[in-house]
Amino acid sequence: MYIEVFPHKIASGMAMSDSYIMVLDAPEVKKQVPVLIGSGEAEAFILALEDKDVRRPLTHVLFNKVMEEFMLELKKVTIDRFEEGVFYATLHVSDGFAEKQIDSRTSDAITLAVLQQCPILMDMNVLNETCMEPGALEGNLPDNDVVVEDSLEELEAKLHECEVNEDYEQAAEIMKLIDELKKR
């Protein structure tokens, strides 16, 4: 059995300086799942959220364009397994006649799901093995994390906090989100 999950926030990881934690929210069962991702994957996800064009296509943008060109549709993403600290995901792609399953890194699969606005489903056993109560991570994550649903005012407050704490890397990410919100 699978349950739908939604990207909720991204925060700097504490164990490694180039890691981030993507928190997936499962509102139906009131649980959250932390997924460790790299800095490149975090940046790709944020750019996908912003629907921002870059000078040269990033991998997820390229893959999305190839799918469009060949009239392939991403029907859903499933997060199927969790082994030795690693989540395993599958892309469910259709050409209109048949559906194929493609193995994927979880962060890439989630980014593509955001781009194509398709559901992200997690196996209930994986969810139960890796979940936490909502808010359980709050005290253990930096205060300057980026919440997917942050308003302009909330982002500006976080930007100010980053500047006070001299966290310029996170400030730059928040400034990108603010710029995008102001363009809408």
Side-chain angles (χ1 to χ4, degrees):
M1 182 172 145
Y2 286 85
I3 188 158
E4 191 164 10
V5 296
F6 303 88
H8 175 64
K9 71 171 77 177
I10 293 181
S12 300
M14 293 148 306
M16 299 176 287
S17 62
D18 65 340
S19 68
Y20 285 77
I21 297 169
M22 176 184 285
V23 178
L24 299 177
D25 193 29
E28 190 176 324
V29 293
K30 297 181 176 74
K31 300 287 184 189
Q32 292 182 329
V33 176
V35 178
L36 189 65
I37 62 174
S39 60
E41 290 79 11
E43 183 179 350
F45 176 77
I46 291 169
L47 288 171
L49 267 182
E50 294 176 350
D51 194 25
K52 193 162 193 138
D53 288 330
V54 292
R55 202 169 71 181
R56 301 291 300 146
L58 299 173
T59 304
H60 67 278
V61 174
L62 174 64
F63 191 76
N64 193 45
K65 288 185 185 286
V66 168
M67 288 181 63
E68 285 175 10
E69 193 65 31
F70 287 94
M71 296 183 290
L72 300 172
E73 179 184 3
L74 182 61
K75 302 298 270 183
K76 64 184 173 185
V77 163
T78 56
I79 302 171
D80 310 301
R81 297 184 342 243
F82 181 74
E83 294 176 7
E84 298 179 15
V86 177
F87 288 92
Y88 291 83
T90 303
L91 303 175
H92 296 259
V93 179
S94 173
D95 64 1
F97 301 101
E99 188 174 288
K100 300 286 184 186
Q101 296 180 1
I102 303 169
D103 183 38
S104 174
R105 291 188 315 177
T106 302
S107 57
D108 293 335
I110 291 170
T111 301
L112 285 169
V114 167
L115 280 173
Q116 295 209 8
Q117 300 177 346
C118 75
I120 304 165
L121 306 172
M122 182 175 279
D123 182 275
M124 236 2 231
N125 293 326
V126 173
L127 182 98
N128 288 331
E129 182 181 345
T130 60
C131 72
M132 300 179 156
E133 296 295 322
L137 294 171
E138 298 305 318
N140 298 317
L141 293 177
D143 291 332
N144 57 353
D145 52 350
V146 176
V147 177
V148 174
E149 301 89 10
D150 276 342
S151 69
L152 182 59
E153 294 80 24
E154 292 167 324
L155 288 171
E156 287 173 341
K158 287 181 181 185
L159 176 61
H160 176 70
E161 188 176 317
C162 288
E163 291 168 347
V164 168
N165 294 329
E166 297 182 1
D167 185 355
Y168 300 113
E169 183 177 319
Q170 184 72 21
E173 289 181 29
I174 293 171
M175 284 174 40
K176 290 179 193 174
L177 289 172
I178 289 172
D179 288 343
E180 186 60 32
L181 278 175
K182 285 182 177 179
K183 289 178 187 174
R184 292 180 187 168

